[in-house]
């Protein structure tokens, strides 16, 4: 049994494209079911829920306050359709929750080790103190030498601390941003089902870091649209750039932000775009994505209608 059932929860989780797709089919009720299951995972050993057993879905339905077949259909869709959960047919879990809990446990372990180290240091005889007590018996020159050594050590510690702080700030500056948050925060527009599909395609093909850097470059160029983002990603791929965020050059485009000649709005160096032969995605590709999402929603609506008709006729009810 764990001491505290805590996990981090993004304040705008409802905008996640997978959750958005689920809400489009199940509505607010499904959103509540989702978080009930995640909380149950947080309380479970290994943060996973067992899905074996004759009456396991009865237990889920009891927590979710719904019919057993509704609970089973919802969990199955969250695994197979919306990819909100992962399953090995023995149990199912949230990859996001596992990642967050592993990170939290590592931080907790690191804090525990740091506290132990401080305690040992505070309770270990200080060699400097012993040396100082002996130096009181020496002449004034020896005392002056000890004070100078102490000052030199403090200066070194101060420089080391300053160096570590700069490294931490550097890591924070280059840390990847969530593409979906960046899309709305940087003024690209409002996320729709089509936009979510496009961003997911970008992330699957290139990874979150690539997509964020391409979006940042689009903002600097004053072209806040995904066609331009796709063109940048295609160019980096064709040029064989493994990590575009490391290819930093002064921004010379007249469409960029004004200020220091090699800095963008964020104050960091930006990636230079040197070609203009961009090839945005076609209308057919976008239409195909819209058709796929409409087909999935229609399927769910038909299944819900069929279940409702059975309930109206008194069929298939679980008591």
């Amino acid at each position: 049994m764990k001491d505290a059932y805590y996990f981090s929860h993004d304040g705008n989780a409802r905008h996640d494209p997978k959750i958005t797709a689920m809400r489009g089919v199940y509505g607010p009720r499904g959103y509540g079911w989702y978080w009930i299951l995640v909380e149950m995972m947080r309380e479970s050993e290994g943060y996973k829920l067992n899905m074996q057993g004759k009456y396991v879905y009865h237990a889920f339905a009891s927590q979710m306050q719904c019919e057993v077949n509704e609970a089973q259909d919802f969990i199955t869709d969250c695994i197979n359709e919306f990819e909100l959960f992962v399953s090995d047919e023995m149990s199912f879990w949230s990859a996001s929750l596992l990642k967050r809990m592993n990170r939290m446990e590592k931080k907790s372990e690191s804090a525990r080790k740091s506290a132990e180290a401080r305690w040992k240091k505070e309770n270990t005889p200080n060699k400097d103190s012993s040396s100082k007590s002996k130096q009181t018996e020496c002449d004034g020159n020896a005392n002056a030498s000890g004070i100078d050594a102490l000052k030199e050590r403090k200066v070194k510690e101060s420089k080391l601390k300053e160096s570590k702080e700069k490294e931490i700030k550097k890591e924070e500056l280059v840390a990847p941003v969530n593409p979906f948050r960046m899309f709305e925060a940087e003024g690209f527009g409002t996320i729709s089902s089509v936009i979510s599909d496009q961003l997911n395609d970008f992330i699957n093909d290139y990874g979150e870091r690539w997509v964020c850097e391409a979006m940042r470059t689009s903002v600097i160029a004053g072209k806040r649209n995904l066609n331009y983002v796709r063109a940048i990603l295609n160019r980096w791929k064709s040029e064989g750039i493994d990590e575009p965020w490391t290819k930093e050059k002064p921004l010379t485009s007249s469409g960029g932000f004004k200020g220091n000649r090699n800095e963008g709005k964020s104050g960091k160096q930006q990636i230079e775009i040197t070609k203009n032969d961009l090839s945005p995605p076609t209308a057919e590709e976008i239409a195909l994505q819209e058709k796929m999402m409409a087909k999935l929603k229609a399927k769910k609506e038909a299944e819900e209608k069929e279940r409702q008709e059975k309930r109206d006729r008194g069929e298939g009810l679980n008591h």
Side-chain angles (χ1 to χ4, degrees):
M1 182 67 70
K2 301 176 181 61
D3 294 329
Y5 301 110
Y6 167 84
F7 66 95
S8 59
H9 175 165
D10 292 336
N12 60 348
R14 63 190 181 281
H15 295 311
D16 180 271
K18 296 178 182 179
I19 291 180
T20 299
M22 180 271 290
R23 289 172 58 208
V25 177
Y26 286 95
R29 192 181 187 198
Y31 192 54
W33 288 347
Y34 170 75
W35 285 113
I36 287 173
L37 291 170
V38 172
E39 289 176 359
M40 291 173 66
M41 291 173 186
R42 173 60 183 90
E43 296 172 344
S44 300
E45 186 68 28
Y47 312 115
K48 297 181 180 181
L49 292 177
N50 176 39
M51 58 193 307
Q52 298 295 305
K54 184 177 180 180
Y55 298 107
V56 65
Y57 284 99
H58 288 71
F60 296 145
S62 176
Q63 290 291 326
M64 296 162 65
Q65 296 186 354
C66 64
E67 299 291 341
V68 176
N69 63 319
E70 289 180 322
Q72 188 167 2
D73 289 345
F74 178 75
I75 292 171
T76 300
D77 283 344
C78 283
I79 294 171
N80 298 327
E81 300 293 345
F82 308 121
E83 298 180 353
L84 287 167
F85 298 143
V86 182
S87 173
D88 58 4
E89 298 184 358
M90 298 294 293
S91 59
F92 68 100
W93 61 91
S94 165
S96 175
L97 176 65
L98 275 181
K99 183 178 179 181
R100 293 164 187 259
M101 295 311 303
N102 288 337
R103 184 165 59 240
M104 189 177 78
E105 288 174 355
K106 287 181 180 179
K107 288 183 178 180
S108 178
E109 179 64 16
S110 177
R112 184 186 65 79
K113 289 181 178 180
S114 297
E116 289 180 354
R118 287 196 300 271
W119 184 87
K120 289 180 180 179
K121 184 177 181 181
E122 291 171 357
N123 290 273
T124 300
N126 194 320
K127 294 181 179 180
D128 291 336
S129 299
S130 300
S131 298
K132 286 181 181 179
S133 61
K134 292 180 180 179
Q135 286 177 357
T136 55
E137 300 174 0
C138 301
D139 56 22
N141 290 333
N143 286 331
S145 177
I147 293 173
D148 290 340
L150 181 61
K151 287 182 178 179
E152 183 179 353
R153 188 183 68 185
K154 287 185 176 180
V155 170
K156 288 182 179 180
E157 290 177 351
S158 177
K159 288 183 177 180
L160 180 61
K161 181 180 180 181
E162 183 179 352
S163 176
K164 288 182 178 179
E165 289 176 349
K166 287 181 178 179
E167 287 296 322
I168 292 173
K169 289 181 180 179
K170 183 178 179 182
E171 290 177 2
E172 291 175 348
L173 287 174
V174 301
V177 182
N178 183 297
F180 296 95
R181 298 180 190 170
M182 190 172 184
F183 184 90
E184 294 187 336
E186 293 294 345
F188 280 82
T190 302
I191 294 179
S192 64
S193 61
V194 176
I195 295 297
S196 295
D197 288 342
Q198 285 185 281
L199 288 175
N200 273 323
D201 287 343
F202 291 172
I203 293 170
N204 291 335
D205 292 341
Y206 301 98
E208 287 190 347
R209 187 67 175 271
W210 273 56
V211 176
C212 289
E213 290 300 323
M215 291 174 70
R216 183 177 291 113
T217 303
S218 297
V219 171
I220 294 170
K223 299 182 181 293
R224 291 175 171 82
N225 64 77
L226 293 186
N227 293 347
Y228 194 81
V229 173
R230 180 190 289 273
I232 294 172
L233 292 169
N234 288 341
R235 175 166 304 143
W236 286 341
K237 185 176 181 179
S238 65
E239 291 179 354
I241 300 175
D242 292 330
E243 295 182 342
W245 50 89
T246 63
K247 186 182 178 183
E248 296 179 344
K249 294 182 180 180
L251 181 68
T252 57
S253 172
S254 59
F257 292 107
K258 302 216 173 155
N260 197 340
R261 70 180 188 89
N262 67 335
E263 292 183 351
K265 186 176 181 181
S266 64
K268 297 190 295 181
Q269 286 186 317
Q270 305 297 333
I271 299 170
E272 181 183 21
I273 304 300
T274 57
K275 299 180 182 179
N276 296 316
D277 53 336
L278 304 180
S279 53
T282 65
E284 289 77 7
E285 291 174 327
I286 296 176
L288 179 61
Q289 293 172 355
E290 291 178 334
K291 184 178 180 181
M292 290 174 62
M293 290 300 296
K295 183 178 180 181
L296 176 61
K297 185 172 182 179
K299 175 186 174 184
K300 296 302 173 186
E301 289 176 347
E303 291 175 352
E304 178 60 28
K305 183 178 179 181
E306 183 179 355
R307 285 195 294 266
Q308 184 61 46
E309 290 175 350
K310 287 184 178 180
R311 285 195 291 268
D312 292 342
R313 295 193 301 267
E315 299 177 6
L317 296 178
N318 293 276
H319 299 284

